Amino acid sequence: MLLKEKYAVVGCVVVRLAVSLLFPSLQTQLDKSVELSTPMSSYRLLNEGIFLLRNGFPLYDGGVVHHPPLLVAFMSLIEPQYLVALLYALTDGLISYQLICMARFFSDLGLPTWLPGALYALNPLVLLSCVSQSSVIFTNAFTSTAILCALNGNLLTFAMALGAASYLSLYQLSLLIPSLYLLSRENNQRSRATLAVLGVFAALLQLSSVVTGGSWKFLQATYWSQMNFEKLFPNLGLWWYFFIEMFDMFIPFFKAAFNIFAISFVLPFSIRFQSQPFYALVLCIGWITLTKPYPTLGDAGFFLSFLPFFKPLFGYMRCPLLSALLFIHAIILSPIFYHLWVDLGSGNSNFFYAISLVYALALGFILIDLCWSMLRIEFDGGRPNYKLKVTQI
């Protein structure tokens, strides 16, 4: 590793560990924030599961725990709080290192290899998500591992990483489609990769059944609860307010529609940009971040960490300033509006949902800009021509 690369990775770990240890009460405060924590990723609820598991109580009978059993079992082995903080800091450092490794595959972009890792380390959204000890960080770590292994052509490690990411968050399983284009163009290898990922996912489910004493209740408490949106908690997503206001008779239909919508663009992105599979995969990550039922700023921070790889496309973007301002506007005002609504009672749910729509609009603008830029560089034959104006036909 180059010196700057080492600084980026070590700095990522040290900053997160220092913030966690110097401000121990900050984790509790951030864990209560709906922007960084959901019922599916909260460390507070994960601790509840650890308590139940250690004391021999059924893990999912109370309807409180929604984390996968193997994650609860693994975290139950790490008891002192400083070791937990170290684990989260090292996991974030691993993601930073993997982004640096990915940059080495794109040396023709003129992108310094240390830059993606450094930007990830300095990203406040990722930093706060790590300090809050949200389980989203583990999903992101396995996802980045799968991407790096796909670039390396390492089929076995790719299958294990993507299978683990899908186990932690079911919507990550849809990333298998663009990953196959990134892994290889050989149909035989794609078939083996698909079977391997599904095999790893099935093996983890079987191990989960062993952890829960032969019970399969965890399927309902984890995956079905997420897909069925059983916990109507406010978050930055598009789901919660819609289903609070929806008539009961229409809810099952629209839950199915929202789930289909969450994965509907994965296949079109993968097919249309199959000549640029890495970028198609990043677009799919952004789409899932936008449409999943329980998103957090940690998901958005992970997606935005891949933007430096789009460096040649920046000149094509039509509204980067608008997207940035909308995003900053949303992340600053969302805690304020939530505080006005829940704590002070001087606002209402429309305040917070309005700002979550602004957040969704910002992510949507970023995705649209990236798609347009990729189409433009294809039109220009792979050589950027920013001065050429393309008019409507």
Side-chain angles (χ1 to χ4, degrees), residues 106 147 151 174-182 265-288 303 306 309-310 313 367 370-371 374 378:
F106 301 93
I147 296 173
L151 287 170
S174 64
L175 297 179
L176 174 62
I177 299 173
S179 298
L180 294 179
Y181 289 100
L182 183 62
F265 274 65
V266 172
L267 184 59
F269 280 148
S270 304
I271 295 175
R272 179 59 185 84
F273 299 113
Q274 59 181 291
S275 60
Q276 299 169 309
F278 176 80
Y279 298 106
L281 180 55
V282 175
L283 289 177
C284 293
I285 293 174
W287 179 255
I288 293 172
F303 163 61
F306 288 95
F309 294 98
F310 290 84
L313 309 180
L367 288 171
L370 292 178
C371 288
M374 291 171 68
E378 281 188 6

Short mmCIF file of all heavy atoms in Angstrom, two decimals, residues 106 147 151 174-182 265-288 303 306 309-310 313 367 370-371 374 378:
data_model
loop_
_atom_site.label_atom_id
_atom_site.label_comp_id
_atom_site.label_asym_id
_atom_site.label_seq_id
_atom_site.Cartn_x
_atom_site.Cartn_y
_atom_site.Cartn_z
N PHE A 106 -9.29 0.81 -11.98
CA PHE A 106 -9.71 1.89 -12.86
C PHE A 106 -8.61 2.95 -12.96
O PHE A 106 -8.86 4.15 -12.85
CB PHE A 106 -11.01 2.52 -12.33
CG PHE A 106 -12.15 1.55 -12.22
CD1 PHE A 106 -12.40 0.87 -11.03
CD2 PHE A 106 -12.96 1.30 -13.32
CE1 PHE A 106 -13.44 -0.03 -10.93
CE2 PHE A 106 -14.01 0.38 -13.23
CZ PHE A 106 -14.25 -0.28 -12.04
N ILE A 147 -18.25 -7.03 -4.37
CA ILE A 147 -17.89 -6.25 -5.56
C ILE A 147 -16.41 -6.41 -5.87
O ILE A 147 -16.02 -6.63 -7.03
CB ILE A 147 -18.24 -4.77 -5.35
CG1 ILE A 147 -19.75 -4.59 -5.19
CG2 ILE A 147 -17.74 -3.93 -6.53
CD1 ILE A 147 -20.16 -3.19 -4.81
N LEU A 151 -14.63 -8.18 -9.18
CA LEU A 151 -13.61 -7.54 -10.02
C LEU A 151 -12.37 -8.42 -10.14
O LEU A 151 -11.72 -8.47 -11.20
CB LEU A 151 -13.23 -6.18 -9.43
CG LEU A 151 -14.25 -5.06 -9.57
CD1 LEU A 151 -13.84 -3.85 -8.73
CD2 LEU A 151 -14.42 -4.65 -11.03
N SER A 174 -30.78 -9.05 -4.88
CA SER A 174 -31.01 -8.59 -6.25
C SER A 174 -29.74 -8.10 -6.92
O SER A 174 -29.67 -8.01 -8.16
CB SER A 174 -32.08 -7.49 -6.25
OG SER A 174 -31.64 -6.35 -5.55
N LEU A 175 -28.70 -7.79 -6.13
CA LEU A 175 -27.43 -7.36 -6.70
C LEU A 175 -26.70 -8.49 -7.41
O LEU A 175 -25.68 -8.26 -8.08
CB LEU A 175 -26.52 -6.77 -5.62
CG LEU A 175 -27.02 -5.50 -4.93
CD1 LEU A 175 -26.03 -5.06 -3.87
CD2 LEU A 175 -27.27 -4.39 -5.93
N LEU A 176 -27.22 -9.71 -7.26
CA LEU A 176 -26.62 -10.84 -7.97
C LEU A 176 -26.67 -10.63 -9.48
O LEU A 176 -25.74 -11.01 -10.20
CB LEU A 176 -27.35 -12.13 -7.58
CG LEU A 176 -26.94 -13.40 -8.33
CD1 LEU A 176 -25.48 -13.73 -8.07
CD2 LEU A 176 -27.83 -14.58 -7.91
N ILE A 177 -27.75 -10.01 -9.96
CA ILE A 177 -27.92 -9.84 -11.42
C ILE A 177 -26.82 -8.98 -12.02
O ILE A 177 -26.12 -9.42 -12.95
CB ILE A 177 -29.32 -9.27 -11.72
CG1 ILE A 177 -30.40 -10.22 -11.22
CG2 ILE A 177 -29.48 -9.03 -13.22
CD1 ILE A 177 -31.81 -9.67 -11.32
N PRO A 178 -26.60 -7.74 -11.55
CA PRO A 178 -25.49 -6.96 -12.14
C PRO A 178 -24.13 -7.55 -11.82
O PRO A 178 -23.18 -7.37 -12.60
CB PRO A 178 -25.67 -5.57 -11.53
CG PRO A 178 -26.42 -5.79 -10.26
CD PRO A 178 -27.34 -6.94 -10.54
N SER A 179 -24.00 -8.24 -10.70
CA SER A 179 -22.71 -8.82 -10.33
C SER A 179 -22.29 -9.91 -11.31
O SER A 179 -21.09 -10.10 -11.56
CB SER A 179 -22.77 -9.41 -8.92
OG SER A 179 -23.04 -8.42 -7.96
N LEU A 180 -23.25 -10.62 -11.88
CA LEU A 180 -22.91 -11.67 -12.84
C LEU A 180 -22.27 -11.10 -14.09
O LEU A 180 -21.36 -11.69 -14.67
CB LEU A 180 -24.17 -12.47 -13.21
CG LEU A 180 -24.80 -13.29 -12.08
CD1 LEU A 180 -26.05 -14.00 -12.58
CD2 LEU A 180 -23.81 -14.29 -11.51
N TYR A 181 -22.74 -9.91 -14.52
CA TYR A 181 -22.11 -9.27 -15.67
C TYR A 181 -20.70 -8.79 -15.33
O TYR A 181 -19.82 -8.75 -16.19
CB TYR A 181 -22.95 -8.07 -16.13
CG TYR A 181 -24.25 -8.45 -16.79
CD1 TYR A 181 -25.44 -8.41 -16.06
CD2 TYR A 181 -24.29 -8.86 -18.12
CE1 TYR A 181 -26.65 -8.76 -16.67
CE2 TYR A 181 -25.47 -9.21 -18.72
CZ TYR A 181 -26.66 -9.16 -18.00
OH TYR A 181 -27.84 -9.52 -18.60
N LEU A 182 -20.50 -8.42 -14.08
CA LEU A 182 -19.18 -7.96 -13.64
C LEU A 182 -18.21 -9.12 -13.48
O LEU A 182 -17.01 -8.99 -13.73
CB LEU A 182 -19.31 -7.20 -12.32
CG LEU A 182 -18.05 -6.58 -11.72
CD1 LEU A 182 -17.48 -5.53 -12.66
CD2 LEU A 182 -18.37 -5.97 -10.37
N PHE A 265 -35.97 -2.03 -11.24
CA PHE A 265 -35.00 -1.40 -12.13
C PHE A 265 -33.65 -2.10 -12.12
O PHE A 265 -32.75 -1.71 -12.87
CB PHE A 265 -34.82 0.08 -11.75
CG PHE A 265 -35.83 0.99 -12.39
CD1 PHE A 265 -37.18 0.89 -12.08
CD2 PHE A 265 -35.44 1.94 -13.33
CE1 PHE A 265 -38.11 1.73 -12.65
CE2 PHE A 265 -36.37 2.78 -13.92
CZ PHE A 265 -37.71 2.67 -13.59
N VAL A 266 -33.50 -3.12 -11.29
CA VAL A 266 -32.21 -3.81 -11.22
C VAL A 266 -31.89 -4.51 -12.53
O VAL A 266 -30.78 -4.37 -13.08
CB VAL A 266 -32.21 -4.80 -10.05
CG1 VAL A 266 -30.94 -5.66 -10.08
CG2 VAL A 266 -32.31 -4.06 -8.72
N LEU A 267 -32.84 -5.25 -13.06
CA LEU A 267 -32.61 -5.96 -14.32
C LEU A 267 -32.44 -4.99 -15.50
O LEU A 267 -31.49 -5.16 -16.30
CB LEU A 267 -33.75 -6.93 -14.58
CG LEU A 267 -33.61 -7.82 -15.84
CD1 LEU A 267 -32.35 -8.66 -15.76
CD2 LEU A 267 -34.83 -8.71 -16.01
N PRO A 268 -33.29 -3.96 -15.65
CA PRO A 268 -33.04 -3.00 -16.75
C PRO A 268 -31.69 -2.31 -16.68
O PRO A 268 -31.01 -2.14 -17.70
CB PRO A 268 -34.19 -2.00 -16.58
CG PRO A 268 -35.28 -2.76 -15.91
CD PRO A 268 -34.57 -3.70 -14.99
N PHE A 269 -31.27 -1.88 -15.48
CA PHE A 269 -29.95 -1.28 -15.33
C PHE A 269 -28.86 -2.26 -15.77
O PHE A 269 -27.91 -1.89 -16.47
CB PHE A 269 -29.70 -0.87 -13.88
CG PHE A 269 -30.35 0.44 -13.49
CD1 PHE A 269 -30.81 0.64 -12.19
CD2 PHE A 269 -30.50 1.46 -14.40
CE1 PHE A 269 -31.41 1.82 -11.81
CE2 PHE A 269 -31.09 2.67 -14.04
CZ PHE A 269 -31.55 2.85 -12.75
N SER A 270 -29.00 -3.51 -15.34
CA SER A 270 -27.97 -4.52 -15.61
C SER A 270 -27.86 -4.81 -17.10
O SER A 270 -26.76 -4.96 -17.64
CB SER A 270 -28.29 -5.81 -14.85
OG SER A 270 -28.42 -5.56 -13.47
N ILE A 271 -29.01 -4.90 -17.79
CA ILE A 271 -29.00 -5.22 -19.21
C ILE A 271 -28.54 -4.02 -20.04
O ILE A 271 -27.71 -4.16 -20.94
CB ILE A 271 -30.40 -5.69 -19.65
CG1 ILE A 271 -30.76 -7.02 -18.97
CG2 ILE A 271 -30.45 -5.85 -21.17
CD1 ILE A 271 -32.16 -7.49 -19.25
N ARG A 272 -29.07 -2.85 -19.72
CA ARG A 272 -28.75 -1.68 -20.54
C ARG A 272 -27.28 -1.30 -20.44
O ARG A 272 -26.65 -0.88 -21.43
CB ARG A 272 -29.62 -0.49 -20.11
CG ARG A 272 -29.34 0.80 -20.88
CD ARG A 272 -29.56 0.58 -22.37
NE ARG A 272 -29.19 1.74 -23.17
CZ ARG A 272 -27.96 2.00 -23.58
NH1 ARG A 272 -26.94 1.18 -23.24
NH2 ARG A 272 -27.70 3.05 -24.32
N PHE A 273 -26.69 -1.44 -19.25
CA PHE A 273 -25.30 -1.04 -19.05
C PHE A 273 -24.40 -2.26 -18.83
O PHE A 273 -23.45 -2.19 -18.06
CB PHE A 273 -25.19 -0.08 -17.88
CG PHE A 273 -25.97 1.19 -18.06
CD1 PHE A 273 -27.07 1.47 -17.25
CD2 PHE A 273 -25.63 2.10 -19.04
CE1 PHE A 273 -27.80 2.63 -17.41
CE2 PHE A 273 -26.35 3.28 -19.20
CZ PHE A 273 -27.44 3.54 -18.39
N GLN A 274 -24.72 -3.36 -19.52
CA GLN A 274 -23.92 -4.57 -19.34
C GLN A 274 -22.49 -4.41 -19.83
O GLN A 274 -21.59 -5.14 -19.41
CB GLN A 274 -24.59 -5.76 -20.03
CG GLN A 274 -24.81 -5.60 -21.52
CD GLN A 274 -25.50 -6.79 -22.11
OE1 GLN A 274 -24.91 -7.88 -22.18
NE2 GLN A 274 -26.73 -6.63 -22.51
N SER A 275 -22.26 -3.45 -20.71
CA SER A 275 -20.89 -3.18 -21.15
C SER A 275 -20.08 -2.44 -20.09
O SER A 275 -18.86 -2.36 -20.17
CB SER A 275 -20.91 -2.35 -22.45
OG SER A 275 -21.56 -1.12 -22.24
N GLN A 276 -20.78 -1.87 -19.10
CA GLN A 276 -20.13 -1.19 -17.97
C GLN A 276 -20.73 -1.76 -16.67
O GLN A 276 -21.42 -1.05 -15.93
CB GLN A 276 -20.37 0.32 -18.06
CG GLN A 276 -19.80 0.95 -19.33
CD GLN A 276 -20.29 2.37 -19.51
OE1 GLN A 276 -21.48 2.65 -19.45
NE2 GLN A 276 -19.35 3.29 -19.72
N PRO A 277 -20.45 -3.01 -16.38
CA PRO A 277 -21.16 -3.70 -15.28
C PRO A 277 -20.90 -3.11 -13.90
O PRO A 277 -21.78 -3.14 -13.05
CB PRO A 277 -20.66 -5.14 -15.38
CG PRO A 277 -19.35 -5.05 -16.11
CD PRO A 277 -19.51 -3.90 -17.06
N PHE A 278 -19.70 -2.57 -13.68
CA PHE A 278 -19.42 -1.98 -12.38
C PHE A 278 -20.34 -0.80 -12.11
O PHE A 278 -20.90 -0.64 -11.03
CB PHE A 278 -17.95 -1.55 -12.31
CG PHE A 278 -17.59 -0.84 -11.03
CD1 PHE A 278 -17.33 -1.55 -9.88
CD2 PHE A 278 -17.51 0.56 -10.99
CE1 PHE A 278 -16.99 -0.90 -8.70
CE2 PHE A 278 -17.18 1.21 -9.81
CZ PHE A 278 -16.92 0.48 -8.66
N TYR A 279 -20.51 0.04 -13.11
CA TYR A 279 -21.36 1.22 -12.96
C TYR A 279 -22.83 0.82 -12.84
O TYR A 279 -23.60 1.46 -12.11
CB TYR A 279 -21.15 2.18 -14.13
CG TYR A 279 -19.72 2.69 -14.20
CD1 TYR A 279 -18.84 2.23 -15.17
CD2 TYR A 279 -19.27 3.63 -13.29
CE1 TYR A 279 -17.53 2.69 -15.22
CE2 TYR A 279 -17.97 4.10 -13.33
CZ TYR A 279 -17.10 3.62 -14.30
OH TYR A 279 -15.82 4.08 -14.33
N ALA A 280 -23.22 -0.22 -13.56
CA ALA A 280 -24.59 -0.72 -13.43
C ALA A 280 -24.84 -1.22 -12.01
O ALA A 280 -25.93 -1.00 -11.44
CB ALA A 280 -24.83 -1.85 -14.44
N LEU A 281 -23.85 -1.87 -11.43
CA LEU A 281 -23.98 -2.36 -10.07
C LEU A 281 -24.13 -1.22 -9.07
O LEU A 281 -24.95 -1.28 -8.14
CB LEU A 281 -22.76 -3.22 -9.71
CG LEU A 281 -22.70 -3.84 -8.32
CD1 LEU A 281 -23.94 -4.66 -8.04
CD2 LEU A 281 -21.46 -4.70 -8.17
N VAL A 282 -23.38 -0.14 -9.27
CA VAL A 282 -23.49 1.03 -8.39
C VAL A 282 -24.87 1.66 -8.52
O VAL A 282 -25.49 2.07 -7.53
CB VAL A 282 -22.38 2.05 -8.71
CG1 VAL A 282 -22.58 3.33 -7.89
CG2 VAL A 282 -21.01 1.45 -8.43
N LEU A 283 -25.39 1.74 -9.74
CA LEU A 283 -26.74 2.27 -9.95
C LEU A 283 -27.78 1.42 -9.22
O LEU A 283 -28.73 1.96 -8.64
CB LEU A 283 -27.07 2.32 -11.44
CG LEU A 283 -26.35 3.37 -12.28
CD1 LEU A 283 -26.73 3.23 -13.75
CD2 LEU A 283 -26.68 4.78 -11.80
N CYS A 284 -27.60 0.12 -9.24
CA CYS A 284 -28.53 -0.78 -8.54
C CYS A 284 -28.47 -0.56 -7.03
O CYS A 284 -29.50 -0.59 -6.35
CB CYS A 284 -28.23 -2.23 -8.88
SG CYS A 284 -28.57 -2.66 -10.61
N ILE A 285 -27.27 -0.34 -6.50
CA ILE A 285 -27.13 -0.05 -5.07
C ILE A 285 -27.88 1.24 -4.74
O ILE A 285 -28.59 1.33 -3.73
CB ILE A 285 -25.64 0.06 -4.70
CG1 ILE A 285 -24.96 -1.31 -4.82
CG2 ILE A 285 -25.49 0.59 -3.27
CD1 ILE A 285 -23.46 -1.27 -4.60
N GLY A 286 -27.74 2.25 -5.60
CA GLY A 286 -28.44 3.50 -5.37
C GLY A 286 -29.95 3.35 -5.45
O GLY A 286 -30.69 3.95 -4.66
N TRP A 287 -30.41 2.54 -6.39
CA TRP A 287 -31.85 2.33 -6.54
C TRP A 287 -32.43 1.63 -5.30
O TRP A 287 -33.50 2.01 -4.80
CB TRP A 287 -32.13 1.51 -7.79
CG TRP A 287 -33.59 1.24 -7.99
CD1 TRP A 287 -34.24 0.07 -7.77
CD2 TRP A 287 -34.58 2.18 -8.41
NE1 TRP A 287 -35.58 0.21 -8.04
CE2 TRP A 287 -35.82 1.50 -8.43
CE3 TRP A 287 -34.54 3.53 -8.77
CZ2 TRP A 287 -37.00 2.13 -8.80
CZ3 TRP A 287 -35.72 4.15 -9.13
CH2 TRP A 287 -36.93 3.45 -9.15
N ILE A 288 -31.72 0.61 -4.80
CA ILE A 288 -32.19 -0.09 -3.60
C ILE A 288 -32.19 0.86 -2.40
O ILE A 288 -33.11 0.85 -1.58
CB ILE A 288 -31.32 -1.33 -3.33
CG1 ILE A 288 -31.52 -2.35 -4.45
CG2 ILE A 288 -31.65 -1.96 -1.98
CD1 ILE A 288 -30.56 -3.52 -4.38
N PHE A 303 -23.50 4.34 -0.82
CA PHE A 303 -23.73 4.55 -2.26
C PHE A 303 -22.92 5.74 -2.77
O PHE A 303 -22.27 5.66 -3.82
CB PHE A 303 -25.23 4.76 -2.50
CG PHE A 303 -25.56 5.37 -3.83
CD1 PHE A 303 -25.22 4.73 -5.01
CD2 PHE A 303 -26.20 6.61 -3.91
CE1 PHE A 303 -25.51 5.31 -6.25
CE2 PHE A 303 -26.49 7.18 -5.12
CZ PHE A 303 -26.14 6.52 -6.30
N PHE A 306 -19.17 5.61 -3.96
CA PHE A 306 -18.76 5.12 -5.28
C PHE A 306 -18.76 6.22 -6.34
O PHE A 306 -18.35 5.97 -7.47
CB PHE A 306 -19.69 3.99 -5.74
CG PHE A 306 -19.50 2.70 -4.98
CD1 PHE A 306 -20.29 2.41 -3.88
CD2 PHE A 306 -18.52 1.79 -5.36
CE1 PHE A 306 -20.12 1.24 -3.17
CE2 PHE A 306 -18.34 0.61 -4.66
CZ PHE A 306 -19.14 0.33 -3.56
N PHE A 309 -15.73 7.09 -8.71
CA PHE A 309 -15.44 6.23 -9.86
C PHE A 309 -16.12 6.74 -11.14
O PHE A 309 -15.81 6.27 -12.22
CB PHE A 309 -15.91 4.80 -9.56
CG PHE A 309 -15.13 4.13 -8.47
CD1 PHE A 309 -15.62 4.09 -7.17
CD2 PHE A 309 -13.90 3.56 -8.71
CE1 PHE A 309 -14.92 3.48 -6.15
CE2 PHE A 309 -13.17 2.96 -7.71
CZ PHE A 309 -13.67 2.91 -6.42
N PHE A 310 -17.06 7.67 -10.99
CA PHE A 310 -17.75 8.25 -12.14
C PHE A 310 -17.07 9.55 -12.60
O PHE A 310 -17.70 10.37 -13.26
CB PHE A 310 -19.21 8.54 -11.79
CG PHE A 310 -20.05 7.31 -11.61
CD1 PHE A 310 -20.08 6.63 -10.40
CD2 PHE A 310 -20.84 6.83 -12.65
CE1 PHE A 310 -20.86 5.50 -10.23
CE2 PHE A 310 -21.62 5.70 -12.50
CZ PHE A 310 -21.63 5.03 -11.29
N LEU A 313 -17.58 11.17 -15.95
CA LEU A 313 -18.96 11.52 -16.27
C LEU A 313 -19.39 12.84 -15.63
O LEU A 313 -20.48 13.34 -15.92
CB LEU A 313 -19.92 10.42 -15.81
CG LEU A 313 -19.59 8.98 -16.25
CD1 LEU A 313 -20.64 8.02 -15.71
CD2 LEU A 313 -19.51 8.90 -17.77
N LEU A 367 -29.26 9.61 -9.38
CA LEU A 367 -29.38 8.44 -10.24
C LEU A 367 -29.68 8.84 -11.69
O LEU A 367 -29.10 8.28 -12.63
CB LEU A 367 -30.48 7.51 -9.72
CG LEU A 367 -30.16 6.74 -8.44
CD1 LEU A 367 -31.40 6.03 -7.92
CD2 LEU A 367 -29.05 5.72 -8.69
N LEU A 370 -26.53 10.25 -13.27
CA LEU A 370 -25.56 9.21 -13.60
C LEU A 370 -25.99 8.43 -14.83
O LEU A 370 -25.16 8.12 -15.70
CB LEU A 370 -25.39 8.26 -12.40
CG LEU A 370 -24.72 8.86 -11.16
CD1 LEU A 370 -24.66 7.83 -10.04
CD2 LEU A 370 -23.31 9.36 -11.48
N CYS A 371 -27.27 8.10 -14.93
CA CYS A 371 -27.77 7.38 -16.11
C CYS A 371 -27.58 8.21 -17.38
O CYS A 371 -27.11 7.70 -18.40
CB CYS A 371 -29.24 7.02 -15.93
SG CYS A 371 -29.56 5.71 -14.75
N MET A 374 -23.92 8.30 -18.38
CA MET A 374 -23.45 7.04 -18.98
C MET A 374 -23.94 6.90 -20.41
O MET A 374 -23.23 6.42 -21.29
CB MET A 374 -23.90 5.87 -18.11
CG MET A 374 -23.20 5.81 -16.76
SD MET A 374 -23.90 4.60 -15.64
CE MET A 374 -23.46 3.08 -16.48
N GLU A 378 -21.51 6.94 -23.89
CA GLU A 378 -21.67 5.92 -24.92
C GLU A 378 -21.90 6.58 -26.28
O GLU A 378 -21.36 6.15 -27.30
CB GLU A 378 -22.85 5.01 -24.58
CG GLU A 378 -22.55 3.94 -23.54
CD GLU A 378 -23.70 2.95 -23.40
OE1 GLU A 378 -24.67 3.04 -24.19
OE2 GLU A 378 -23.63 2.10 -22.51
#
